[in-house]
Amino acid sequence: ELSVEKENLPYPIYDFTSSSFNKPFKFIEPEKNPKRVGSAIVEENFGTIDIRWENVNPFLELKIISPSGKQEFVHKIYFSEIN
């Protein structure tokens, strides 16, 4: 899950969270989160953060990936947004 806080701040603050492999948290309805980017992913997953320096405007690429390797979520945060 990715959440972002933008109000009353000089730049956005991000919170990136993935599940654990050994004990996934299954629930009937995901928690309400008005700051969530995208939808909640309740299945087992893991997260990666790649730094892409090769672009003129470098960025972080956040991914949530299922155990089978499927990308469930991808989000880019450009350095110009948080600089």
Side-chain angles (χ1 to χ4, degrees), residues 3-19:
S3 300
V4 62
E5 175 63 65
K6 295 181 178 182
E7 293 183 33
N8 302 315
L9 297 167
Y11 52 84
I13 295 176
Y14 291 89
D15 176 21
F16 184 52
T17 308
S18 66
S19 79

Side-chain angles (χ1 to χ4, degrees), residues 30-72:
E31 293 178 39
K32 294 188 185 324
N33 178 356
K35 299 182 185 311
R36 180 182 296 128
V37 176
S39 58
I41 299 169
V42 298
E43 295 81 20
E44 294 175 328
N45 64 75
F46 65 93
T48 64
I49 301 174
D50 296 319
I51 303 173
R52 302 295 184 168
W53 295 106
E54 63 272 8
N55 288 23
V56 174
N57 184 7
F59 59 90
L60 300 174
E61 188 171 51
L62 312 176
K63 296 179 186 176
I64 294 179
I65 303 169
S66 73
S68 67
K70 180 182 175 194
Q71 290 185 17
E72 302 289 342

